Amino acid sequence: MNGWQQDVLGPGFEQLTLELPAGSPATLVRHAGGGERWEPSALTGADVLYVHGWSDYFFQRELAEFWTRAGAAFYALDLHNYGRSLRPGQSPGQVSSLTEYDGDIAAALTAMGRRGAGTPVEPATANEPMAANGSGGSSGRPGAEPEDPHPGGPMAWVAEALAALARRRAAPAEPGRRPLVLLGHSTGGLTLSLWAARHPGAADAVVLNSPWLEFQASEVGRAMVAPLIQARSRFRPLAPLPPLDPGFYTRAVSSRFDGEWDYEQKWRPDRGFPVTPGFLNAVFRGQAEVARGLGIEAPVLVMLSDKSYLQPRWSGDALAADVVLNVDTVARRALDLGRDVTLHRVSGAFHDIFLSPSAIRAHAYAGMGRWAEAALDAGAARRWAERAEPATEA
């Protein structure tokens, strides 16, 4: 690490190169700008770590300013082989397993002054054979009904959930420990979901902005395609697959077309980086893990547009929809993240909700802030756990 330096976003932003054991560096960006702060809340003093999606990098100044005004310390991570971290001769976005980003995240947390990330649970290997349904095992839905883990009825479940949440938040904190909010977009949302599941207790809240939790053609489509992609990833992992991106997303967000955002095209190409079997196999493996159920302990907020536009021809409808994901499929899959999952559908939002038109962004920011404040409010969690206890005694 060579110390913090001025970032390409200009005044108020600094970047730090993170040298990783695997060789390819990552880059941590922090918002060091001033400005008026809102009144103190449960968000005051929290750390926020943002991770971008596929063929992307961090450039959303407004997102950083929102969290800073709320009293949080905002950081964004350009993963290795992306954005600021991309070096000559590297294959953009190439990865054989999403667990390879554990090193990036660990280095970022260390640079943020955080003491540790918990003990990870050993994940499946990248080429472990999949079950016939493409999920690597039963999703828990087909077949026999599972045994009810809460025989005391629905109020017993509520009391148990609230009590567990209160215990986690009331546990003695390490000296100087600050709450950690993970904020991931698209593939970054999938990556952080898997990381949070493998590192229980590390994050206090997880916010997912249009996470790529499931294949656009649903679990059935993934089950059909995944074995073919897995085979190609073994023999030709870097061979480009046929391009699928018609450029609609760029047309919606870029100031060169119908959008309002300026960014580095070399780090965010109009039709994305070439998709390779190695990368897609890594994503499919991650999605299969989600389908089996992650059991994330922290509360999770999943933010999605209310509709998708996945047609091959351009239409004005693409300016009020997610043109990348099947949002209804992702919404259903979100239930497999953990027990404390909140789904927020944002009408007319783009794939990156915080690149949507201003009125839509304002609605999304308000919803995210309201949810995050409640998720980090340890006092409220304890009060409601205590209030729910008598209901189980009746």
Side-chain angles (χ1 to χ4, degrees):
M1 298 183 187
N2 297 319
W4 291 96
Q5 301 177 1
Q6 181 71 49
D7 186 62
V8 295
L9 291 179
F13 290 88
E14 298 175 337
Q15 65 169 264
L16 178 68
T17 299
L18 305 175
E19 301 296 343
L20 305 177
S24 298
T27 308
L28 187 65
V29 179
R30 69 180 179 187
H31 185 223
E36 181 182 356
R37 301 293 198 272
W38 294 315
E39 63 183 47
S41 70
L43 301 180
T44 304
D47 286 339
V48 178
L49 179 61
Y50 172 84
V51 175
H52 58 80
W54 163 253
S55 195
D56 203 357
Y57 74 105
F58 172 69
F59 64 92
Q60 294 87 339
R61 293 181 179 88
E62 184 182 80
L63 181 65
E65 292 164 354
F66 169 84
W67 286 102
T68 300
R69 292 193 67 188
F74 180 87
Y75 298 85
L77 180 60
D78 275 13
L79 299 167
H80 68 268
N81 294 352
Y82 283 100
R84 300 164 178 82
S85 309
L86 192 58
R87 300 294 187 266
Q90 293 181 339
S91 298
Q94 178 56 28
V95 69
S96 60
S97 170
L98 297 182
T99 61
E100 292 179 22
Y101 295 130
D102 282 14
D104 304 50
I105 297 170
L109 293 174
T110 298
M112 291 163 59
R114 303 193 66 87
R115 290 195 169 186
T119 303
V121 177
E122 190 67 25
T125 59
N127 287 313
E128 178 183 323
M130 290 187 177
N133 67 357
S135 67
S138 172
S139 67
R141 288 174 179 157
E145 288 287 328
E147 184 179 344
D148 184 3
H150 304 285
M155 284 308 299
W157 181 92
V158 171
E160 180 183 332
L162 287 170
L165 188 61
R167 286 194 299 271
R168 182 172 65 83
R169 294 177 180 170
E174 299 176 16
R177 185 187 183 278
R178 304 173 301 279
L180 175 63
V181 178
L182 298 177
L183 173 56
H185 169 56
S186 198
T187 312
L190 173 61
T191 299
L192 287 181
S193 296
L194 297 167
W195 186 91
R198 292 194 305 273
H199 297 79
D204 297 275
V206 180
V207 179
L208 305 177
N209 169 9
S210 303
W212 194 12
L213 301 180
E214 185 54 274
F215 186 45
Q216 285 82 337
S218 79
E219 182 175 1
V220 173
R222 174 166 53 80
M224 296 174 61
V225 175
L228 302 176
I229 295 298
Q230 187 178 74
R232 293 191 65 173
S233 72
R234 289 172 175 165
F235 301 105
R236 301 187 65 196
L238 300 181
L241 295 170
L244 299 175
D245 186 352
F248 295 168
Y249 189 32
T250 294
R251 180 169 176 176
V253 302
S254 173
S255 62
R256 295 178 294 120
F257 302 104
D258 295 319
E260 59 180 285
W261 304 99
D262 298 313
Y263 49 81
E264 289 283 351
Q265 288 179 254
K266 63 181 179 181
W267 293 340
R268 187 184 165 104
D270 286 354
R271 299 197 175 203
F273 296 133
V275 176
T276 66
F279 166 77
L280 195 55
N281 182 60
V283 169
F284 282 168
R285 297 297 309 176
Q287 291 173 343
E289 288 188 52
V290 177
R292 292 194 295 270
L294 291 186
I296 296 174
E297 293 183 355
V300 181
L301 173 65
V302 178
M303 307 181 74
L304 293 165
S305 180
D306 63 326
K307 55 186 171 294
S308 298
Y309 182 82
L310 302 176
Q311 303 303 314
R313 301 178 71 88
W314 172 260
S315 165
D317 292 343
L319 297 176
D322 188 321
V323 298
V324 177
L325 301 181
N326 181 330
V327 292
D328 291 335
T329 295
V330 173
R332 289 189 290 271
R333 179 61 70 217
L335 300 176
D336 296 314
L337 291 170
R339 192 163 61 180
D340 188 352
V341 178
T342 300
L343 182 62
H344 184 191
R345 303 296 289 269
V346 183
S347 180
F350 293 166
H351 176 52
D352 186 334
I353 289 172
F354 298 108
L355 298 183
S356 304
S358 59
I360 296 171
R361 296 200 306 274
H363 174 72
Y365 278 123
M368 179 173 66
R370 183 173 61 246
W371 180 89
E373 183 175 347
L376 298 183
D377 190 341
R382 285 192 296 269
R383 286 194 301 274
W384 285 105
E386 294 167 357
R387 293 168 181 172
E389 285 178 0
T392 66
E393 300 172 358

